[in-house]
Amino acid sequence: MNTILPIISSILLVMLLGYGLSKKLLTEASFWQGISKLSYWVLFPVLIVHTLANATIDAALLLPLCTIFIGALILILIYCVVVARLLGQDGPSTSSIVQGGVRHNGFIGLAVLFDMFGLPGQELGALMIAVLVPPTNVLSVLSVSLLVSKKQHQSLTALILKELLRNPMLISVAIGLLLNILAISIPAILDQSMALMSRAALPLLLLSIGASLKIRALKGNWLPLIASLSTKLLVFPALLLGGALWFNLAPLVTVGLVIFGALPTAVSAYPFIQQMGGNAKLMADIITLQTLASLVGLTFWTSLAIHITGLTL
């Protein structure tokens, strides 16, 4: 706990710095939109490609990781729908609660794993993103399309393919894995350039995540917010921890899974819900609340996983 809390707190502080800068010093929305686009479309994909291309990937991990992630995603989707319906939420609001459960901010997860475990943690985080992104996007599109009647007339297959093909993380994962599998070495000059860009990716991403938070607007119906918060504070990390213990995975992999389970939902869920006709205001509140509460969730679940596995930091 004494080691974990400072690491996670430092990441949250960088995000809060981004929030403060967006309110007091760098107040132009266009500036932060530019930073967000640069990070999302260029810097983070370069980081993923560079990491996966040079990583030592244990192929035996892929099947258990896929099984655990897909199983947990389906269960959390069912949980979100059932809880939302019990609370009397309509389709658009239910779709926002579902996005709060099935989407994950892999940028924060990668930052936590890198700060805690260095390059092995970064490689593990990139591999988990590679496994998590495809089923997350499929379930996101499928669930929102079925819950929001506005989009029900459109082809589910077309919507899913559109989301997958326009996702820069999925594209960068495919390129990185292809280079790794084919043992293609990145030329030295390009490799150094990619390494420099990679070092800029996480700080800028964390600042832009903070700038996107809407803390002052956090108000309204707290029942759906608490329901959504329970997915990341309780249910999803518990499912992933149980799956890791069931497959008897290595301590580092188990801790990595739990960290990804406790991550707040992705900031990209807001424009996605807005585009698909969901409850955008609720989605913005869920993103903000989950991000702020992740300090508690990540600290608790990471500490528990380290205690259970006996992993030494």
Side-chain angles (χ1 to χ4, degrees), residues 40-41 69-70 73-74 77 98-99 101-107 128-146 155-173 265-266 268-269 272-273 275-276:
Y40 186 70
W41 290 99
F69 273 133
I70 292 173
L73 284 169
I74 292 172
L77 190 155
V98 168
Q99 297 308 296
V102 301
R103 283 181 178 260
H104 308 274
N105 199 319
F107 310 136
M128 288 186 173
I129 288 172
V131 174
L132 189 57
V133 166
T136 296
N137 278 267
V138 170
L139 288 177
S140 294
V141 174
L142 184 62
S143 60
V144 176
S145 298
L146 294 175
S155 167
L156 284 179
T157 303
L159 283 171
I160 291 171
L161 286 175
K162 178 182 176 182
E163 283 299 310
L164 290 175
L165 293 176
R166 69 188 296 272
N167 191 310
M169 283 195 289
L170 188 60
I171 295 169
S172 58
V173 160
T265 191
S268 58
F272 174 72
I273 279 292
Q275 173 192 350
M276 296 289 286

Side-chain angles (χ1 to χ4, degrees), residues 2 46 61 69 151 154 162 164 175 178 218 224 227 238 251 253 269 274:
N2 291 336
V46 168
L61 269 180
F69 273 133
K151 293 290 180 180
Q154 294 191 9
K162 178 182 176 182
L164 290 175
I175 294 172
L178 186 63
L218 191 58
V253 180
Q274 201 171 34

Side-chain angles (χ1 to χ4, degrees), residues 201 266 291:
T291 302

